[in-house]
Every structure is written in C-alpha cells, then in structure tokens.
Amino acid sequence: RIEEIADDYKMSAYANLDLSVIYDFKWQKLKATKVKLLIKNLTDTQYYTATTPGVRENFAEGRFFQLSFEVGI
C-alpha cells in the first residue's frame, strides 16, 4: 500500500543577493582582456533549495567567490 505524505510542510521564503563585476581593458597586444569577480549569496543567508520532511534537506551553499581572467587573442 502506498502512503500519502501530508502536504503540510512549507519552506520559508528567502531573498538571495549575488554580485558580479567585470573590468574590460587592453593588455599589451592582446584583445578583449577581462577580469571578472562573482560573489554568490553575498549576505551569506542559509536557506533550503529542496526538502522532503524527515528524509532530506538540501541547504544552499554559503557565500561563494569566483575570480576569472579572460584573454582574447
């Protein structure tokens, strides 16, 4: 027999703030040089991305930084 789980669990609302900065410049004889900084979850808010009561709770990552350098030749 298949049991139905009561649909009485609600996830809390949340707001997420990400920040992205890109700086374009020329470096020597190279074209389209870029430096990119990405910060995800800037406020370091803890929240669920998915949940199944009593079985699984997926938390989002905390604050995350990514720095990249791009060069067009």
Side-chain angles (χ1 to χ4, degrees), residues 10-34:
K10 295 183 181 180
M11 292 175 49
S12 299
Y14 64 90
N16 194 6
L17 181 63
D18 296 339
L19 175 69
S20 178
V21 178
I22 301 173
Y23 179 66
D24 293 321
F25 62 97
K26 287 195 172 227
W27 186 49
Q28 297 181 3
K29 295 181 181 181
L30 300 173
K31 302 175 187 177
T33 306
K34 294 181 183 181

